[in-house]
Amino acid sequence: MKKVKAIVITGNGTNCEMETAHACRLGGADDVEIVHICKLLSGEKKLDDYHFLNLPGGFLDGDDLGSAKANAARLRYARTSRGLTLFDQICRFIQEGKLILGICNGFQLLVKLGLIPSLNSSFSQDATLTFNDSGRFEDRWVYLRINEKSPCVFTKGLKNLYLPVRHGEGKFALTSEKVLQDLKKRNLIAVQYSDENCETPVMKYPLNPNGSVEAIAGICDETGRVFGMMPHAEAYLHYTNHPRWTREILPVEGLGVALFRNGIEYIRKNL
Amino acid sequence: MPKSTTQPESAPRTPHPVVDNIPHRIEVGFKDGVKDPHGEKIRRMVASELSLSVHSVRTVEVYTLDMELTGSELKLLASGPFSDPVVQNYSIDSPLTDDFDWLVEVGLKPGVTDNVGRTALEAALFCIGRECPGGGKIYASRQYLFKGRLSRDDLQIAVDRLLANELIHCCEIVHRDFFDSKKGLKIVIPKVRGADNIEVEEIDLNVPEKMLLKISRERLLALGIDEMMAVKSNFNSPEIIAERKACGLSSLVTDVELEVLAQTWSEHCKHKIFNADIEYTDEKGRCRIINSLFDTYIKASTETIRKRLGERDWCVSVFKDNAGIIAWDEMNNLVFKVETHNSPSALDPYGGALTGIVGVNRDTLGTGKGAKLIFNTDVFCFASPFYNKALPPRILHPARIFEGVREGVEHGGNKSGIPTVNGSMVFDDRFLGKPLVYCGTGGIIPKKILGEPSEEKTARPGDCIVMTGGRIGKDGIHGATFSSEEFHEGSPVTAVQIGDPITQKRMSDFILEARDRGLYNCITDNGAGGLSSSVGEMALSSNGCEINLEDAPLKYSGLQPWEILLSEAQERMTFAVDPGSINDFLQLACEMGVEATTLGKFTDSGFFHVCYEGKTVAYLSMDFLHNGLPTMKLKAKWRSPLQDNPDFAEPEDLTGVLKKMLSRLNICSKEFVVRQYDHEVQGGSVVKPLCGLNNDGPSDAAVLRPVLESMKGVVVSHGICPRYSDIDAYHMMACAIDEALRNYLCVGGSLEGVAGLDNFCWCDPVASEKNPDGEYKLAQLVRANMALFDYTTAFSIPCISGKDSMKNDYVIGGHRISIPPTVLFSIIGRADDVRKAQTMDAKNAEDIVFLLGQTRDELGGSEYYAMSGFTGNSVPNVNAGEALKLYRALSTAIHRGLLKSCHDCSDGGLGVALAETAFSGGFGMEVDLRRVPVDGLDRNDSILFSETQSRFVVTVSPENKADFEKCMDGNIFAEIGIMLEKPVFLVNGLNAEIVVNADIGSLKEAWQRTLG
């Protein structure tokens, strides 16, 4: 059987690389490498050598121009020693049927690069993640409802999640109502902030921590292989991560692992 | 020796000759109908804090580009990295809008660190893909567009109170009627104009004493007469004169040398008061001489404990490095350091606190061969944010300080990817003059790196001196000497700095990789005193150095040599790199986007030798620099202050009193602050700052798992109780240690492997004309140290690192505000299996409520007395012997899983601890005060609110009751009540009547309202 190789990109303010790599290992990846982005730019490492690209959380370039904006410019314009930009390499990565998971800052990056939702493979920016309605960064756990009809390979078979959000710019917004209708129609809204039973999407703070339209917490592209979400799946890998583990009976494995396992099993079957 | 400078990576360049008029201005704002949360937040604050009615506030981000760009490039930048096409609009070289009544633009003053501007330039260079002649520069500023009936004075108040700080910002306020809608505001480039002449001054010290003191004062040297005399006589020695002549110096001291000496000898760096010879007279007139408080109490305690532990000794490196190191698991050691950043935070709360946290990060990062940072802690002491009296000159309102400090630590911690796991806030109006901002950072370091013990490092003669990270500017000059003085009219504004967490994060990533590849021999951070201090300290191991200041990378030209050497510009580390590794070191730095520069070499010459463009500008013997400082001689005189004894009857409505206690600033929920700090990044969070049914109960301490494959935990806690100093600083210290240890034990921390950090913040303890009770304050300091020795040795908590900040006074005009003597005692240790950790929230109805420890008449300095305006005299005393016995039993019970919850009794005593246990767990509770083991108490309010130490409220399930009682056998404890399904909180009083009867929801509401 083929070995699944995951890459976790770090550098310039990314800070969840360690637990993201741990999640990939728990999810069954055979080879997991944390790679500083400078090694991709210098050509010392190349994306082609991996199947699963992780864009973890953090504060890329301090989010100084808005979340992930400066890094989006880096990926789009900085040429690697191989000539292509990293953006070109990522597009090729997607076309080869490989998987990308962006969490929090990584989700912001995917959206601002136009890689999701990328309706009709347009790679144009139709959505964004902007400042929370509260005007504040917040760390709080949220209930999430999964859209079982979504093509998202990461959420297959899952119904709900409970994970922390830790962001100041997580409010999902779209260019138009039409884009929203398209997202709904094609079931690209994979994860929504919900009530405590993980049944009904909610707009009410703090269950919906940022005021996202349609309570959107995560979306995928039409292939289902490129997926981003604000809540930190890699922050709930063990039951002692749960904020109430001293008072509730919980499975040893945290709910976040399943997302990674889904991605890795897909790769094992399809690539 | 290689001499080279590397620049951060950037895009390959293509020629692009078109030249345009500069500067340019790009403005970015939210589209109509899109919410502007920052503007909305300002509108709310203007309304609530200034009582001004404002219709709306919108924000506009402004980028001023001092670089040549074509029209299409400008459009590419404006529409690309600078704006978000989904929610924002932009304009180029014209105002975005004139739809406002007032416009306020806030930019940074020349030379102030501009993080957004720096990132904007990096992004711009990626986009245009070419070099920019002269490098180019981008400056960021922000506009606030106000709508509403406001006067210019109203706007000025909003600017002064909320939008800007005159020390770092420049501001423009324009009314719509005077605004040019086509051209907009006149573009101002905040470029630094440095001195045209670079010169080294020589200073004649052969002058009368009065003049020597004048030199010290005018140059902000903060040196006393004995010290100035020591410098003078050193430079008059014939031997020194001859040595100086040989390297081209006259017999006069240079400004560079004087500044280096002042910094090295500052209170901040040399802890002169802690090392002074003190004549201490106690209340009975008995006198004794203490040669160094540090050696006599702190160091001696650690040595005593280590000797007693013998083979079990878990200290690895204490008091010598940037931070202390203790053993943790088979493979790794732990590092922990806590610092204060009080003076800078008084001037600029945001920048002061931000540099506080990123500064202490560097301390831990630069400990041993370099540690990975795993947690931050923060403890703030402020005056009440609701303070409503007139403010003395140059003091910012406490609400402003609170928000600025909170935000500074938020940005520093969150952007560095380090979880903020533990902290607290203490309120007392004596913190008006100087707030206390304690920032701590823990790290983990492999026991061995490339086969060598990781705690060992030395700079060898011949090693290159390399500086990495940020560039040098005028920021932070005189920070070390400034913080060694009280806050006065002449306090230098250059002491203000703004941290840059991302530059530091890049550097941290680089350091860990360079460490594991063995690319350097020694590392330390650049904090107070800048290069002078970092190189000066590292040069101790090689016994000398030679620095070439002209090689130092500068933010702008025009810095004098002494400024380059002393600047405390942030985000810099200094390394000793073997000449054989220097190329690899510089190349790795270049690849990872970190600027690295060789500045000279370490030598064994015995001299601290500094050159500028080939000429010697400082030549100081290492011995004089580090050992030439005369020992201070001080007097301390203790008298027990007699406070008023409260004489009020027991209130009838104790339910109301309990609610009032819960809503007091020192007790109420701090959730609003805690949530704005990322407390679980790195994925190892086990006990978070908030716990319980609704994730909002106040955890006693933090537990985390830094190695994700392991179940071994790190436990972090602290204790702080300045109010007890009003009665006796001895007991203040004892209670702080006991509180820290209680918190630590509550979550399951192990008594084996625990260590402490002492951070003293004092009011000036050196008697003088303007400080008449200095001898008393010094006696308080002596007593606190005595307690530190007594209790750390009793509990076997070796202190591994600490810091003191001795001049926390504000003196302007006739006004003096002094902080209460305050010690933050922080604890770090281990939990062998995090799955055994416990939290403070009750877990089930029917569980039994126990109180561990005896309750005594110890309301002196309590929150309860303070609520009625009293201090009292019966300060809590810690009985270490009894306490330790109880702690061992409790620790065993927790590790055997016999408890359902465990919460310590601190501020507000038993009443508050019981209420917090109940409402955090979401269960009712009924207790009986007649069952509480007391000594000399006969009032319900006294039992509920006495602050006797060494007590815990725990809940135990009925099936574990017998085992638990057996485990606690031999200690004072009692079953005092039971948890209820029904959400009521009932307290049966001494006369069998119900004295407190409240819905737990209403108690929680009272607790959450104050800062909610």
Side-chain angles (χ1 to χ4, degrees):
Chain A
M1 201 158 47
K2 204 168 168 184
K3 281 197 166 177
V4 177
K5 293 176 78 174
I7 177 171
V8 180
I9 297 189
T10 187
N12 299 310
T14 291
N15 60 35
C16 296
E17 68 276 10
M18 188 181 70
E19 58 270 39
T20 304
H22 188 59
C24 290
R25 285 186 203 106
L26 293 177
D30 303 287
D31 240 332
V32 184
E33 242 183 293
I34 296 174
V35 176
H36 196 286
I37 192 167
C38 74
K39 306 238 152 103
L40 291 169
L41 288 167
S42 74
E44 192 182 327
K45 298 273 174 184
K46 51 183 203 297
L47 273 186
D48 292 347
D49 292 339
Y50 305 89
H51 310 105
F52 179 20
L53 168 60
N54 285 272
L55 302 168
F59 284 85
L60 281 162
D61 305 281
D63 283 353
D64 285 334
L65 309 176
S67 57
K69 291 287 290 181
N71 197 46
R74 183 182 284 117
L75 296 191
R76 215 177 250 286
Y77 297 103
R79 285 183 191 282
T80 65
S81 62
R82 291 159 192 269
L84 289 176
T85 64
L86 272 179
F87 182 78
D88 296 335
Q89 294 186 31
I90 292 173
C91 291
R92 192 167 69 196
F93 191 87
I94 297 170
Q95 277 151 14
E96 285 171 357
K98 295 173 172 179
L99 267 59
I100 304 182
L101 174 60
I103 292 179
C104 196
N105 209 206
F107 180 30
Q108 292 162 336
L109 180 64
L110 286 174
V111 164
K112 289 173 189 194
L113 281 170
L115 293 173
I116 42 174
S118 184
L119 293 168
N120 308 316
S121 302
S122 61
F123 293 143
S124 69
Q125 188 182 341
D126 295 320
T128 197
L129 290 147
T130 185
F131 298 96
N132 296 351
D133 276 352
S134 66
R136 288 201 292 262
F137 174 100
E138 279 194 330
D139 179 337
R140 66 166 72 244
W141 285 62
V142 291
Y143 296 92
L144 300 163
R145 169 185 180 270
I146 307 278
N147 177 358
E148 292 174 80
K149 290 189 223 133
S150 160
C152 180
V153 304
F154 295 92
T155 54
K156 274 275 152 349
L158 304 179
K159 288 193 169 62
N160 51 57
L161 287 168
Y162 184 54
L163 297 172
V165 288
R166 309 192 307 249
H167 61 246
E169 295 180 54
K171 179 181 175 175
F172 193 86
L174 291 160
T175 41
S176 68
E177 177 63 26
K178 184 180 173 303
V179 178
L180 178 62
Q181 291 315 321
D182 280 354
L183 290 184
K184 281 182 165 172
K185 209 160 54 202
R186 303 180 204 191
N187 285 306
L188 303 186
I189 303 173
V191 187
Q192 288 166 296
Y193 302 110
S194 77
D195 65 338
E196 279 136 355
N197 301 317
C198 301
E199 279 165 5
T200 323
V202 286
M203 291 306 291
K204 209 175 116 203
Y205 176 86
L207 288 168
N208 177 333
N210 46 39
S212 283
V213 61
E214 202 70 16
I216 291 174
I219 56 167
C220 59
D221 73 349
E222 287 167 271
T223 70
R225 292 181 284 104
V226 184
F227 170 54
M229 65 193 278
M230 286 312 295
H232 286 269
E234 83 294 351
Y236 185 19
L237 303 179
H238 186 259
Y239 75 102
T240 58
N241 289 139
H242 191 290
R244 297 187 298 275
W245 72 270
T246 58
R247 53 186 298 129
E248 289 178 16
I249 295 176
L250 300 161
V252 171
E253 181 178 284
L255 292 176
V257 180
L259 292 164
F260 292 86
R261 183 174 295 121
N262 272 338
I264 288 154
E265 279 176 4
Y266 175 92
I267 293 167
R268 224 183 278 289
K269 276 188 206 129
N270 297 281
L271 283 173
Chain B
M1 183 186 59
K3 229 189 229 181
S4 61
T5 296
T6 61
Q7 295 287 343
E9 40 110 338
S10 51
R13 314 300 186 187
T14 49
H16 211 287
V18 192
V19 173
D20 198 350
N21 290 332
I22 54 173
H24 297 283
R25 210 172 138 92
I26 294 174
E27 298 188 0
V28 179
F30 288 101
K31 290 181 178 172
D32 286 343
V34 175
K35 194 164 169 173
D36 177 348
H38 291 313
E40 181 52 26
K41 194 168 162 185
I42 295 295
R43 191 196 62 77
R44 276 198 312 268
M45 285 163 82
V46 168
S48 69
E49 288 180 32
L50 309 179
S51 308
L52 295 173
S53 120
V54 183
H55 180 253
S56 70
V57 181
R58 305 281 288 177
T59 55
V60 172
E61 305 299 332
V62 181
Y63 301 92
T64 301
L65 302 94
D66 189 13
M67 54 200 290
E68 288 166 358
L69 294 163
T70 63
S72 59
E73 284 172 337
L74 274 168
K75 201 168 164 211
L76 178 68
L77 297 185
S79 63
F82 293 179
S83 72
D84 186 320
V86 179
V87 287
Q88 290 174 322
N89 287 324
Y90 64 85
S91 69
I92 299 170
D93 291 333
S94 70
L96 187 67
T97 174
D98 57 3
D99 183 21
F100 54 82
D101 292 321
W102 286 97
L103 176 154
V104 177
E105 182 161 324
V106 181
L108 292 165
K109 280 193 166 162
V112 176
T113 303
D114 180 355
N115 291 325
V116 178
R118 188 212 4 93
T119 302
L121 180 64
E122 280 183 23
L125 292 175
F126 282 127
C127 293
I128 63 176
R130 64 174 172 86
E131 291 283 0
C132 220
K137 198 90 179 142
I138 300 182
Y139 303 92
S141 53
R142 178 179 279 170
Q143 291 178 350
Y144 300 90
L145 309 178
F146 286 80
K147 274 192 187 176
R149 291 166 65 91
L150 296 163
S151 69
R152 176 172 282 274
D153 288 349
D154 291 340
L155 265 300
Q156 192 62 53
I157 292 170
V159 165
D160 293 344
R161 281 282 302 274
L162 298 174
L163 304 179
N165 180 342
E166 58 172 1
L167 299 181
I168 55 166
H169 293 121
C170 33
C171 258
E172 199 164 344
I173 304 175
V174 185
H175 189 267
R176 169 72 192 85
D177 294 348
F178 300 92
F179 181 74
D180 184 334
S181 321
K182 293 217 170 63
K183 291 191 193 146
L185 297 179
K186 187 168 169 280
I187 301 182
V188 182
I189 306 266
K191 217 177 204 157
V192 177
R193 302 199 201 297
D196 296 330
N197 296 332
I198 302 299
E199 56 180 352
V200 175
E201 255 185 276
E202 292 186 327
I203 298 117
D204 188 355
L205 298 180
N206 289 309
V207 293
E209 289 196 0
K210 231 170 119 182
M211 289 299 291
L212 281 179
L213 282 175
K214 192 170 168 227
I215 293 170
S216 170
R217 196 169 53 242
E218 284 179 355
R219 291 181 177 264
L220 295 164
L221 303 177
L223 292 176
I225 191 62
D226 291 352
E227 293 150 358
M228 287 302 284
M229 292 297 285
V231 176
K232 176 177 160 176
S233 69
N234 172 69
F235 282 86
N236 282 338
S237 123
E239 201 183 316
I240 301 282
I241 292 173
E243 280 166 359
R244 293 170 61 75
K245 205 171 165 192
C247 57
L249 286 171
S250 79
S251 63
L252 301 180
V253 63
T254 67
D255 57 359
V256 182
E257 291 169 324
L258 205 49
E259 294 283 352
V260 168
L261 284 165
Q263 169 272 312
T264 309
W265 290 7
S266 66
E267 178 58 50
H268 187 99
C269 297
K270 276 283 186 246
H271 313 286
K272 292 185 273 204
I273 295 170
F274 260 82
N275 288 310
D277 291 340
I278 296 173
E279 184 188 313
Y280 171 73
T281 312
D282 71 13
E283 211 159 14
K284 294 183 179 132
R286 286 177 302 206
C287 192
R288 58 174 292 199
I289 304 290
I290 301 158
N291 302 113
S292 171
L293 288 171
F294 177 68
D295 287 347
T296 311
Y297 298 110
I298 302 176
K299 218 169 147 192
S301 154
T302 300
E303 280 167 4
T304 307
I305 297 166
R306 294 186 71 176
K307 206 183 282 171
R308 189 164 67 208
L309 291 172
E311 298 252 295
R312 278 159 58 219
D313 177 20
W314 48 80
C315 296
V316 174
S317 163
V318 292
F319 302 126
K320 59 178 186 196
D321 206 337
N322 290 337
I325 308 179
I326 56 169
W328 182 63
D329 70 359
E330 300 291 306
M331 306 293 290
N332 299 285
N333 292 331
L334 294 177
V335 182
F336 193 16
K337 172 67 175 265
V338 177
E339 269 278 16
T340 51
H341 228 221
N342 310 335
S343 303
S345 302
L347 290 172
D348 174 33
Y350 173 78
L354 174 55
T355 43
I357 192 73
V358 296
V360 74
N361 287 170
R362 282 197 307 281
D363 270 320
T364 299
L365 179 63
T367 296
K369 281 276 177 63
K372 178 180 185 292
L373 309 181
I374 56 171
F375 67 84
N376 284 335
T377 63
D378 61 81
V379 174
F380 310 141
C381 301
F382 299 136
S384 165
F386 309 114
Y387 189 83
N388 57 9
K389 286 174 249 167
L391 290 170
R394 282 196 77 175
I395 283 184
L396 298 172
H397 191 275
R400 170 95 185 262
I401 292 188
F402 183 159
E403 175 55 19
V405 166
R406 187 210 59 68
E407 192 180 20
V409 172
E410 175 197 327
H411 288 174
N414 293 358
K415 292 192 178 183
S416 306
I418 303 163
T420 300
V421 300
N422 186 243
S424 68
M425 279 188 261
V426 177
F427 294 92
D428 185 306
D429 283 349
R430 286 171 289 176
F431 294 116
L432 193 64
K434 267 203 194 174
L436 304 185
V437 177
Y438 293 96
C439 296
T441 300
I444 187 166
I445 183 169
K447 283 188 191 313
K448 294 237 164 119
I449 291 168
L450 301 172
E452 303 285 327
S454 62
E455 68 276 13
E456 282 168 22
K457 56 180 174 185
T458 46
R460 302 170 200 165
D463 280 356
C464 305
I465 300 171
V466 184
M467 184 187 98
T468 66
R471 296 184 146 229
I472 298 175
K474 292 196 180 220
D475 24 358
I477 285 174
H478 281 145
T481 50
F482 159 57
S483 64
S484 305
E485 294 184 316
E486 80 274 2
F487 187 7
H488 58 80
E489 287 101 337
S491 294
V493 302
T494 54
V496 174
Q497 305 142 284
I498 305 256
D500 173 358
I502 291 308
T503 295
Q504 184 153 312
K505 175 79 174 131
R506 284 183 186 154
M507 183 169 67
S508 317
D509 293 346
F510 159 72
I511 287 171
L512 295 181
E513 178 144 359
R515 175 193 77 178
D516 293 342
R517 283 171 55 182
L519 296 180
Y520 54 82
N521 293 330
C522 192
I523 174 173
T524 197
D525 80 304
N526 278 276
L531 283 173
S532 162
S533 172
S534 65
V535 179
E537 279 170 31
M538 276 165 80
L540 277 170
S541 58
S542 67
N543 195 31
C545 64
E546 204 178 297
I547 310 174
N548 303 308
L549 285 180
E550 73 277 10
D551 292 338
L554 306 182
K555 291 182 183 172
Y556 34 78
S557 62
L559 264 71
Q560 300 296 353
W562 74 266
E563 293 179 312
I564 299 174
L565 194 57
L566 270 290
S567 165
E568 295 176 10
Q570 294 287 301
E571 293 81 40
R572 294 180 296 141
M573 302 291 282
T574 300
F575 300 81
V577 181
D578 188 280
S581 304
I582 188 74
N583 289 335
D584 288 346
F585 183 97
L586 295 175
Q587 196 196 333
L588 180 66
C590 177
E591 267 177 31
M592 297 184 78
V594 175
E595 190 163 356
T597 315
T598 305
L599 297 181
K601 63 180 178 192
F602 290 97
T603 65
D604 53 6
S605 67
F607 281 87
F608 184 80
H609 188 175
V610 185
C611 298
Y612 187 80
E613 293 182 340
K615 275 181 66 181
T616 294
V617 295
Y619 196 67
L620 294 163
S621 93
M622 291 295 295
D623 183 48
F624 179 66
L625 182 59
H626 288 283
N627 306 317
L629 173 69
T631 304
M632 234 182 199
K633 296 197 187 316
L634 298 171
K635 282 188 178 163
K637 200 164 184 301
W638 173 245
R639 58 181 158 77
S640 202
L642 196 63
Q643 306 282 1
D644 285 349
N645 263 326
D647 55 347
F648 58 86
E650 179 172 325
E652 273 181 24
D653 175 20
L654 281 179
T655 304
V657 170
L658 177 61
K659 286 183 187 170
K660 263 168 76 185
M661 286 289 289
L662 288 167
S663 62
R664 285 180 64 75
L665 280 168
N666 284 328
I667 293 173
C668 72
S669 168
K670 313 294 186 295
E671 179 179 354
F672 143 84
V673 175
V674 172
R675 288 237 177 268
Q676 294 183 72
Y677 296 147
D678 187 329
H679 46 253
E680 44 198 328
V681 62
Q682 301 193 8
S685 159
V686 174
V687 174
K688 304 177 204 296
L690 299 165
C691 64
L693 178 66
N694 292 311
N695 306 342
D696 55 8
S699 292
D700 290 296
V703 182
L704 55 144
R705 226 164 24 103
V707 178
L708 296 176
E709 293 80 12
S710 157
M711 285 301 135
K712 185 134 183 158
V714 174
V715 183
V716 189
S717 72
H718 72 273
I720 185 168
C721 31
R723 229 170 324 95
Y724 300 149
S725 291
D726 291 338
I727 302 171
D728 189 344
Y730 180 90
H731 298 295
M732 176 276 291
M733 182 80 240
C735 293
I737 295 170
D738 193 64
E739 183 186 10
L741 185 56
R742 293 195 310 270
N743 283 324
Y744 173 81
L745 293 167
C746 280
V747 297
S750 156
L751 284 164
E752 190 81 1
V754 62
L757 275 72
D758 55 288
N759 284 78
F760 287 76
C761 284
W762 233 250
C763 36
D764 192 354
V766 179
S768 68
E769 218 167 278
K770 54 176 192 174
N771 188 30
D773 58 349
E775 291 188 358
Y776 171 70
K777 293 172 188 162
L778 186 62
Q780 290 182 300
L781 184 66
V782 171
R783 294 183 62 75
N785 275 280
M786 290 172 166
L788 183 136
F789 180 89
D790 295 347
Y791 288 91
T792 51
T793 47
F795 292 139
S796 290
I797 310 174
C799 287
I800 53 166
S801 165
K803 210 72 200 259
D804 54 277
S805 162
M806 303 307 288
K807 304 282 165 115
N808 292 289
D809 304 82
Y810 161 96
V811 185
I812 288 182
H815 214 102
R816 182 180 195 97
I817 308 174
S818 297
I819 64 151
T822 305
V823 178
L824 170 68
F825 197 81
S826 308
I827 281 187
I828 183 167
R830 51 175 96 134
D832 290 323
D833 183 346
V834 299
R835 291 167 291 198
K836 303 253 172 78
Q838 195 44 276
T839 53
M840 52 72 63
D841 48 308
K843 309 289 190 302
N844 295 99
E846 310 299 327
D847 281 353
I848 300 153
V849 182
F850 283 93
L851 173 62
L852 315 185
Q854 189 185 48
T855 303
R856 300 185 287 264
D857 180 11
E858 294 184 320
L859 286 116
S862 66
E863 270 300 310
Y864 184 58
Y865 275 4
M867 188 162 76
S868 310
F870 291 100
T871 300
N873 294 294
S874 52
V875 69
N877 284 213
V878 179
N879 181 330
E882 262 181 39
L884 188 60
K885 195 168 76 175
L886 179 73
Y887 297 168
R888 289 200 174 116
L890 174 66
S891 199
T892 307
I894 290 183
H895 292 116
R896 285 180 52 201
L898 298 177
L899 301 193
K900 283 295 191 165
S901 72
C902 186
H903 192 23
D904 102 298
C905 294
S906 56
D907 301 53
L910 176 62
V912 167
L914 290 170
E916 287 176 344
T917 300
F919 65 62
S920 301
F923 291 100
M925 180 192 271
E926 179 165 8
V927 295
D928 189 338
L929 295 186
R930 289 169 300 180
R931 295 194 186 176
V932 173
V934 296
D935 179 20
L937 284 173
D938 53 7
R939 278 169 55 156
N940 294 310
D941 58 344
S942 305
I943 298 173
L944 281 172
F945 303 121
S946 165
E947 293 183 6
T948 296
Q949 304 292 298
S950 318
R951 294 181 302 155
F952 303 85
V953 167
V954 306
T955 59
V956 176
S957 65
E959 66 267 25
N960 283 330
K961 182 178 173 230
D963 281 351
F964 175 72
E965 287 175 335
K966 206 168 149 203
C967 193
M968 298 308 296
D969 194 30
N971 290 286
I972 299 177
F973 74 104
E975 176 183 341
I976 62 166
I978 190 162
M979 299 310 303
L980 309 171
E981 195 66 53
K982 196 176 162 201
V984 288
F985 185 77
L986 298 171
V987 177
N988 295 289
L990 295 172
N991 293 327
E993 78 289 35
I994 289 180
V995 292
V996 177
N997 182 352
D999 183 87
I1000 56 167
S1002 71
L1003 294 177
K1004 189 169 179 179
E1005 203 271 329
W1007 180 72
Q1008 290 182 324
R1009 188 176 44 207
T1010 315
L1011 293 176

